[in-house]
Amino acid sequence: MTESASKRSRSVDFGSRAVTGAIGDSITVVPLVVALALLTDVSLPHALAAFGVFQLVWGVRYGLPVSVEPMKALAALAIAGALTYAELALAGAILGAVLLAIGLTGTLAYVERWIGEPVIRGVQFAVGLILLETGLGLATDDPAVALVGVAIAGAFALAGRGKASALAVAVVGVATAFVVAGVPTPRLPGAPPTPAFGAALTRATVDGVVAQLAMTIGNAALATSLLFADLFDADVTPDELSTSMGVTNLIAVPLGGIPMCHGCDGVAGKYAFGARTGGANVVLGAGYLVAALFATPALIAAFPLAMLGALLAVVAVSLARNVTDSGNRALSVGIGLLAVATNLGVAFVVGIVLHLAWGRMK
């Protein structure tokens, strides 16, 4: 890569592409963060503020449209009620320390060899199934409203904007909340919530950590590094990404943020919407910080739960269909089904054992 190409790839530009590109990373962030705020004790203002800060930090640091999005396995478990807020926060802090250690010691490739791509796809499929089950349960609260959400998503899919369908449903839900609750007076988030970490070291926390680690290593570090090379001819190593995710969570989670990671889908989304530099991160980060000022409890309570159900169903389908790219679909599907029947941690461990055994047999 020439020096001029490197400078073009690693920069902060605020043209029209930065504005449209910012939408690409909000496709997965907004739906999951709204769901966490509605169904758990996560503070929406603090979560949005954390996303805003780290969009800015990593956009400027990398000079690329790097994604900052929720850790989806942990988010799905919390949304489904399998993790309390304290367990979610502790899992994020533990993963922050693990990812920082992996990144600083350069051992990510070694860890990845034990997991394998079919196991990662299986965890993604399992997360999709968990979110779908939760979404369908919420949709029964008001099937007519849920059908409106499905219709909106379907219209965007037919228009060739299927990736933005979940975001469109979220925007309609937020608009509905504004109509019901009115436009709130902006205010600072205040002191962050204080989760009871002492009581959060449970089996559920451990299961969430090990399952999320698979998705983070595969989707957020290795795949994202490859995507930066493919799309921008930029050399960002998986260990660099692991280190930055570790720093993010160790700072953000104690301050009320939720567990966050980078992700190749967020990068691809930003690129598809026109982002070419870290300017898209700065634009989106500023948008999150402004939104944090208006995220009041009354506004959150006014969001229609049935529409949230449709929203989660759309996100679930988007995640679950990744199983079609698996090198061993039978194993990946089996991991997903086992996760629903037991839990994600058990399915993850069984998946690793079967993947390694299959490799030895071949």
Side-chain angles (χ1 to χ4, degrees):
M1 180 169 59
T2 66
E3 183 178 356
S4 60
S6 175
K7 287 181 178 178
R8 285 196 302 270
S9 297
R10 290 174 176 256
S11 61
V12 177
D13 174 69
F14 298 106
S16 59
R17 285 187 169 189
V19 177
T20 59
I23 299 171
D25 203 16
S26 59
I27 289 172
T28 53
V29 174
V30 173
L32 290 176
V33 173
V34 168
L36 284 167
L38 284 167
L39 302 175
T40 74
D41 292 329
V42 166
S43 167
L44 183 57
H46 290 90
L48 288 172
F51 276 106
V53 167
F54 285 101
Q55 282 281 351
L56 292 166
V57 168
W58 300 125
V60 173
R61 162 64 179 82
Y62 287 111
L64 294 163
V66 63
S67 64
V68 181
E69 55 191 52
M71 288 187 168
K72 295 185 183 68
L74 293 180
L77 290 170
I79 290 168
L83 286 178
T84 65
Y85 170 58
E87 290 168 337
L88 173 71
L90 180 59
I94 292 172
L95 280 165
V98 170
L99 290 169
L100 181 60
I102 288 174
L104 292 178
T105 57
T107 56
L108 190 141
Y110 176 79
V111 176
E112 186 266 343
R113 283 199 297 269
W114 285 89
I115 298 176
E117 182 265 350
V119 178
I120 296 169
R121 296 298 184 192
V123 172
Q124 289 177 319
F125 184 58
V127 170
L129 293 179
I130 291 168
L131 285 176
L132 181 61
E133 184 179 21
T134 305
L136 292 176
L138 291 171
T140 59
D141 182 63
D142 191 335
V145 172
L147 285 174
V148 171
V150 172
I152 294 168
F156 268 72
L158 290 173
R161 289 292 184 179
K163 291 184 177 181
S165 57
L167 179 61
V169 178
V171 169
V172 172
V174 171
T176 302
F178 272 117
V179 171
V180 173
V183 179
T185 302
R187 64 179 187 181
L188 294 174
T194 54
F197 285 130
L201 188 56
T202 63
R203 171 67 180 274
T205 302
V206 175
D207 287 344
V209 167
V210 296
Q212 180 62 58
L213 189 61
M215 287 184 66
T216 300
I217 288 174
N219 184 64
L222 295 166
T224 302
S225 175
L226 288 173
L227 197 60
F228 278 139
D230 290 342
L231 297 180
F232 304 98
D233 195 22
D235 182 18
V236 181
T237 69
D239 287 310
E240 282 183 274
L241 294 170
S242 182
T243 300
S244 61
M245 288 186 288
V247 170
T248 297
N249 286 289
L250 288 176
I251 294 175
V253 170
L255 296 178
I258 65 170
M260 294 181 282
C261 63
H262 302 312
C264 64
D265 49 351
V267 174
K270 279 182 173 173
Y271 185 86
F273 279 83
R276 296 295 182 269
T277 76
N281 287 66
V282 176
V283 171
L284 184 57
Y288 284 147
L289 290 174
V290 171
L293 301 176
F294 292 90
T296 63
L299 187 66
I300 296 168
F303 193 102
L305 286 179
M307 183 132 343
L308 177 65
L311 176 63
L312 291 177
V314 174
V315 175
V317 171
S318 176
L319 280 171
R321 68 185 179 189
N322 288 319
V323 76
T324 59
D325 296 327
S326 174
N328 187 338
R329 291 186 187 178
L331 175 59
S332 298
V333 171
I335 291 172
L337 296 177
L338 182 60
V340 173
T342 56
N343 65 63
L344 197 49
V346 169
F348 172 71
V349 173
V350 171
I352 289 179
V353 172
L354 292 177
H355 173 67
L356 294 175
W358 177 254
R360 288 183 177 275
M361 288 172 60
K362 291 180 66 177

